[in-house]
Amino acid sequence: MTSKTSNASNPGNTRKDKPQATTRTAEIVREYGPFPGVDSVAGVTHDGQRVWTATGARLIAFDPGSGEPTRTLECPCDAGTAFDGTYLYQIAEKRIDKIDPANGNVLASIPAPGHGNDSGLTWAEGSLWVGQHRDRKIHQIDPATGAIIRTIESNRFVTGVTWVDGELWHGTWEGDESEIRRIDPENGAVLDRLEMPPGTFVSGLESDGADLFYCGGGGSGKVRAVRRPKTVRS
């Protein structure tokens, strides 16, 4: 999942932060890149074997074991990326393209809900979930039509978005601060906060389905693997 980068300084408000929200420093376990010819990383997704990253005009897949690029698809890709188990979905300005990863062919397109202000993208529960950057929202949308099914509000700019083990996480990036947050999908309340080190930003986000998040690094041209903390359930 993933986003258009931000250097906005508005800190927003914290009315939805709950006292029990756990705050800790994000544990970066590995960095990938920068890759040749890549100035910025937006969307990120994981297809079960490879990490795909949107770099503006090319989708680049790399092996997370070796870090070596394995595939390149020429396509507009300025924000979030998702994978449904078969196909890639890519935000390209005001639309979302459904892409065959075997050859890069665009099979269908739907309007993006933010009309060009969209950021992160992920697939879960048969739907696409789209981050709305400055609107501080996450939309669940119909992947066939783009119709909005429901909306979750955040209290920070939303960059990447991902679901894992029934948990909804999203990236934030405001000013010089960036976090990965777990929020309550019913009301947007913040449940966990992983603070990135100063100068390290999250422009895209996707889980590997296990213990890692892959995070787009904006203008660094890097992708970072961050350890997902174990959630203590009551």
Side-chain angles (χ1 to χ4, degrees):
M1 346 45 316
T2 327
S3 80
K4 299 172 185 176
T5 58
S6 165
N7 60 3
S9 58
N10 184 348
N13 61 68
T14 58
R15 66 183 182 278
K16 291 183 181 176
D17 286 33
K18 288 187 173 182
Q20 66 267 33
T22 301
T23 302
R24 65 197 95 185
T25 300
E27 181 186 352
I28 299 173
V29 299
R30 186 166 179 178
E31 291 189 342
Y32 302 92
F35 301 104
V38 174
D39 297 324
S40 182
V41 171
V44 179
T45 196
H46 187 269
D47 67 7
Q49 295 181 320
R50 299 164 295 191
V51 178
W52 291 84
T53 180
T55 66
R58 292 180 295 156
L59 272 171
I60 298 175
F62 66 86
D63 181 332
S66 68
E68 293 299 316
T70 59
R71 293 285 311 285
T72 299
L73 300 178
E74 302 289 335
C75 61
C77 50
D78 63 336
T81 313
F83 181 71
D84 71 356
T86 303
Y87 300 108
L88 294 165
Y89 292 82
Q90 178 60 56
I91 296 175
E93 292 295 339
K94 298 183 179 182
R95 69 180 191 274
I96 300 173
D97 292 334
K98 181 179 181 179
I99 299 171
D100 186 338
N103 52 31
N105 290 343
V106 175
L107 305 177
S109 297
I110 57 175
H115 309 291
N117 294 313
D118 309 273
S119 52
L121 187 67
T122 196
W123 176 274
E125 302 176 353
S127 299
L128 288 169
W129 301 75
V130 189
Q132 301 296 282
H133 181 209
R134 293 179 182 273
D135 289 341
R136 303 177 184 180
K137 295 177 181 178
I138 299 169
H139 294 308
Q140 178 188 6
I141 69 169
D142 184 322
T145 66
I148 295 173
I149 299 169
R150 69 172 170 136
T151 298
I152 302 164
E153 293 192 5
S154 178
N155 62 11
R156 286 291 186 273
F157 288 172
V158 176
T159 57
V161 182
T162 192
W163 281 89
V164 56
D165 292 340
E167 300 173 355
L168 176 59
W169 294 78
H170 77 81
T172 72
W173 180 356
E174 297 194 26
D176 293 328
E177 298 180 353
S178 200
E179 297 179 351
I180 305 170
R181 292 183 161 201
R182 181 169 70 94
I183 64 172
D184 188 322
E186 297 301 320
N187 56 30
V190 180
L191 305 175
D192 279 294
R193 299 170 57 211
L194 305 181
E195 296 180 334
M196 298 294 283
T200 305
F201 306 113
V202 178
S203 62
L205 180 68
E206 186 68 285
S207 165
D208 69 347
D211 298 326
L212 294 177
F213 294 119
Y214 290 104
C215 306
S220 70
K222 296 181 179 182
V223 175
R224 297 180 175 93
V226 173
R227 192 173 308 281
R228 178 169 70 102
K230 299 294 185 182
T231 300
V232 179
R233 300 185 184 276
S234 57

